[in-house]
Structures are given as structure tokens and as C-alpha cells.
Amino acid sequence: MIPVTGFDGARVGVLGLGRSGLTAARALQAGGAVPVCWDDNPAARAAAEAEGFTCADPGRAGAIDGLAALIVSPGIPHLYPAPNPVVAAALAAGVPVDNDIGLFFRSLATRDWDRYDTAPRVVAVTGSNGKSTTAALIHHLLAAAGRPAQLAGNIGRGVLDIDPPGDGAVVVLELSSYQTELARALTPDVGVFTNLSPDHLDRHGGIGGYFAAKRRLFAEGGPDRAVIGVDEDAGRFLAGQLAEAPSDDRVIRVSSGQKLGGPGWSVFARKGFLSEYRKGRQVGSIDLRDITGLPGAHNHQNACAAYAAVRALGLAPRAIEAGLRSFGGLPHRSQVFATAGGVTYVNDSKATNVDSAARALASFPRIRWICGGLEKEGGLAALAGATGAVVRAYVIGREAAAFAMQLDVESEVCTTMAAAVARAIEDAGPGETVLLAPAAASFDQYDSFEKRGEDFMAEVRRRLAG
């Protein structure tokens, strides 16, 4: 655990008692603070009280008075579409509002670091798509090279729940826009921006607010090195804002699909080959085509970003290549989990928006596409032109018929996962891929995208075994 510093003896409110909130309460207490906790869910309050924490309704008159800070869980809005009433009361009373990410960055460094030969480093990854894979891949590359590393944040453990890092250790964080938008301290050594596509627009008041939340990772403290995906306008703009000159190698530009030139530092993938260029000269190259854990151009972009991040930490290209080849991929993210009769089965349930689904559709030939669910703001227009490899779509979800009408491919309304899998397996032939890439959220039928992916894999395995 990382004890939170700076609040010794002070009362600190903790709003939301999920994984991050309860861990924040423990870390505050470990640092000498007095947490005052609340969650609208009685079961969550009971769990906190069972650990000895005081729960008090912050909505009652005067409850905010005397708090040194209010720590808010990521799912609780503080501005858009409307502030949570407790957050609004704290802001009106001048009580600082923060989250566990801000507490982490203000508390990580200790006097123990003075005796280390190499101070611990923090790599923080954000973006719309690919950040989980990129963060996990960075962690894997470090571990494979023998560097002590921990993975936390939006993936793995809560940031305050990790062990205090030792000499030369690295903490890899995946950070969502919900986490970066509120943290009062954001000071990674290496910051990674994968890409930007519309998502969570209601929470951020539009695409500009969404980008602003991501940009804070690079603007609030300024990482020593910034790894920026430049395949979209937002990334190119961000790289341009951060670089002092074309040769400024504090900014490492990454791309999948285009060769990057100029005198700076860049890493890009074209036709399956990763290349690293510095000062106009190639200094590294890796063939990604036969690395099964990283299929498709979108994963090649993830590989470029991870490669750049660990190169900034001093890993050699040969060590990185060995780590890439041993990476097994993440569940529910272009996960090849079965082959039978010449047909490949891929679970990309994490493709919850149209951009991530389009990336998955570009990764495989002759696709039997299972899609549908709770449609996100903006509709499916961005899928136009991305479905060239799709032989047929099998649409699930409560609004499957309406979803199918928006597709530019032959489709079949199946509604349930069981029916979609049955029809896709019946139709699929050798050389084809049955791909779950929903382009929608799961909450109309499932508690999470993980549950949806697990159901898909279970149905496939049951029918293949039968």
C-alpha cells in the first residue's frame, strides 16, 4: 500500500466505496488521516464500516465543514452532465476535490528513494483505444527484461494498493479520462497517448472536454518523455504543443500505417514491420507479422507505443523483441481463443465503440461479425467503409433490428448471443473468422464487456464440443 501523505490528523471525505474508494480510505488512514466515508449503496457502506471506517452522509447540513479534502471515485461526475450534489457542495465550500490518482502522485516518493541507485519511475498510459493492451504490454516487456514492475490504475490493482516501488522499479498505470480529469497531481516520468475517438461525451461535455481530460496527463506536471500517437488530428496537435522543435526527442511520435520522418524520435509500423528512427536514421526494426498476441494494425500501434515507452526507460531493441514475442495478449481484446475446421474465433468484446470495432474489422480476412448492444452517442456512421472484410453480420442486443438497419453489410437479427454464435458457426467456412466486436456497450444484456466476452467464448466452445 502507498500511505497517503499530507493529511496527518485531518478529516478527509471519501465519496464512493468501490475498489478505488475503499483503497483510498485505507491509504489515507495508513498515512494518518481520518477518512469519513460515504456511498449511496448500503452494502458498500456496510463493508467500509466492517473495516472500522466511519460512514457519514455528506449531504446533511454542515457535513462538508471541516474536511481537508474530498476524494471522489471515478464514476461520480463533478461537472458534466451535472455535478454530483456532494461534489457541488464541496466546491461551493472551497474544499479541494481530488481522486486516488492525485493522492498516488503526491504520495509515491519517500525519503527511502534517497538511498536508491535508481529512483522508481512511473509510466502512465491514456487514450481512447488500446490503452489497456499498451499498459499491459509495457509491464510485460519490463518484466520479461528483468525490470521490477507493477501494473495498476484502470487495469490490475488500484494505484494506492500497490507495494511501494523499490530501487529501479517501474509502476505502469492505465488511466481513463475519468481518472485524469480530476487528479490534482499528474507527474509521470513517461506519458503515453494512444489515440482519440469519441467516447464518454456526456461525461465530458463533448469531444473537446474529452480531449482536455486526456491532455491533462501531459499538461499538469509534464512527463520527461511523451509518447504520442499521431494517426489522428488530436495526437498531432498534442505532439506539436509539447515539442519545442522538430528535433525535440522528449516527444516520441508513434504511428501505425505511415512512415514518420524528420529529425526527431519516432516509432512506426508499416506492412507489419516496426521501425525506430532517431535523428533521421533507423536504429531498430522488428517484424510484427507473426506475433500472435498482437494481431492487426491497431495492435501494431500498441506495440509501437509500448516499444517507445520502454526504449525511453533504457531497454534494448533485442530485449523488447523477445518480450513482444512472449506476450499473450489481453482477454476480450482481439483474443484468438479457438480454431476449428479452418475457422478462427476471436473475442474482442472490449470493442465497445465504433472506432475500436473498425480497428478489429481491419485485422482479419473474411469475417463473420457478431455485433450489437447498447448503442453509443454518434451512431454507427463511422463504420462506413470499415466493413469490407465482413461476409455477414449477426446482430445481438435488445435493439438488434434497429442496429442492423444502420449496417452497410448483409446482416441477420439474432438478438441473443447463443443464436448469433449458432448461426455464425453454421455459416463459417475455412479461412474465415468469427469475430465478436460489438461496436456498442454491453449493459442492455450484460453487466460488463467481460461477461459478454465470456458468454461468447462459452457458447463457441459448447457448440464446437457438441
Side-chain angles (χ1 to χ4, degrees):
M1 177 170 289
I2 306 295
V4 173
T5 60
F7 293 109
D8 191 21
R11 295 173 67 247
V12 179
V14 178
L15 182 61
L17 296 172
R19 183 188 69 162
S20 66
L22 197 54
T23 300
R26 296 177 187 131
L28 283 160
Q29 187 177 68
V34 180
V36 180
C37 304
W38 186 256
D39 194 296
D40 290 339
N41 184 344
R45 296 199 301 271
E49 289 170 340
E51 292 193 31
F53 292 115
T54 298
C55 289
D57 185 356
R60 73 183 194 281
I64 298 296
D65 298 343
L67 292 184
L70 178 67
I71 308 306
V72 179
S73 292
I76 298 173
H78 63 273
L79 187 56
Y80 301 111
N84 177 278
V86 177
V87 176
L91 294 173
V95 174
V97 179
D98 204 350
N99 62 15
D100 62 329
I101 305 301
L103 297 180
F104 168 84
F105 277 109
R106 68 178 284 167
S107 306
L108 181 64
T110 67
R111 291 184 177 179
D112 290 342
W113 289 23
D114 293 339
R115 57 185 173 81
Y116 293 163
D117 291 330
T118 304
R121 312 287 293 279
V122 177
V123 179
V125 182
T126 195
S128 297
N129 299 305
K131 58 184 179 293
S132 296
T133 298
T134 300
L137 182 54
I138 291 169
H139 176 260
H140 174 81
L141 294 174
L142 291 165
R147 293 280 295 273
Q150 298 180 79
L151 180 63
N154 208 39
I155 186 175
R157 299 164 71 181
V159 291
L160 294 169
D161 191 42
I162 67 171
D163 301 322
D167 196 341
V170 181
V171 178
V172 184
L173 304 179
E174 181 204 338
L175 300 181
S176 71
S177 58
Y178 289 11
Q179 294 169 310
T180 58
E181 70 172 345
L182 192 58
R184 296 175 67 88
L186 284 169
T187 54
D189 298 281
V190 179
V192 180
F193 177 87
T194 58
N195 50 61
L196 191 83
S197 62
D199 208 355
H200 310 303
L201 300 187
D202 58 338
R203 172 64 180 262
H204 298 292
I207 189 68
Y210 179 50
F211 178 51
K214 301 288 189 184
R215 184 183 175 278
R216 291 189 77 247
L217 182 63
F218 305 89
E220 292 303 304
D224 295 336
R225 283 251 158 67
V227 177
I228 309 294
V230 295
D231 286 335
E232 294 91 20
D233 289 340
R236 287 188 288 271
F237 177 80
L238 180 58
Q241 282 197 312
L242 297 174
E244 295 293 337
S247 59
D248 187 352
D249 67 1
R250 294 174 303 169
V251 177
I252 309 174
R253 291 169 169 83
V254 302
S255 173
S256 175
Q258 60 175 318
K259 180 178 180 179
L260 300 178
W265 191 351
S266 62
V267 180
F268 58 87
R270 291 185 70 211
K271 299 180 179 179
F273 287 88
L274 179 151
S275 298
E276 177 189 5
Y277 273 73
R278 301 184 72 171
K279 297 180 180 179
R281 297 178 55 235
Q282 185 172 355
V283 296
S285 179
I286 297 174
D287 186 350
L288 302 173
R289 293 175 298 175
D290 61 345
I291 298 179
T292 56
L294 295 166
H298 63 304
N299 273 311
H300 292 175
Q301 184 189 52
N302 298 336
C304 289
Y307 177 101
V310 297
R311 282 290 279 151
L313 296 174
L315 264 63
R318 183 172 296 180
I320 298 172
E321 180 173 6
L324 290 173
R325 295 194 177 282
S326 62
F327 182 64
L330 286 181
H332 314 295
R333 296 161 176 87
S334 293
Q335 178 186 6
V336 179
F337 68 94
T339 56
V343 179
T344 301
Y345 296 87
V346 181
N347 168 23
D348 202 337
S349 185
K350 183 62 170 64
T352 58
N353 59 47
V354 294
D355 187 69
S356 55
R359 291 167 184 258
L361 293 174
S363 301
F364 305 96
R366 295 192 58 77
I367 296 169
R368 300 284 175 176
W369 179 30
I370 298 177
C371 58
L374 189 61
E375 189 177 324
K376 291 192 173 181
E377 184 178 344
L380 306 179
L383 284 172
T387 56
V390 175
V391 179
R392 190 168 190 165
Y394 306 82
V395 187
I396 64 172
R398 293 179 184 173
E399 304 297 330
F403 195 100
M405 289 179 63
Q406 299 180 64
L407 301 179
D408 60 355
V409 295
E410 181 182 341
S411 60
E412 181 174 338
V413 175
C414 298
T415 306
T416 67
M417 184 68 75
V421 168
R423 293 292 299 124
I425 289 178
E426 181 180 337
D427 292 347
E432 295 187 341
T433 297
V434 174
L435 168 68
L436 171 66
S442 60
F443 303 121
D444 60 331
Q445 292 182 310
Y446 299 94
D447 291 339
S448 65
F449 72 83
E450 291 95 342
K451 293 295 186 184
R452 177 172 58 190
E454 289 164 4
D455 188 27
F456 169 62
M457 292 191 294
E459 285 292 335
V460 169
R461 288 168 174 151
R462 182 175 67 84
R463 291 188 175 276
L464 292 181

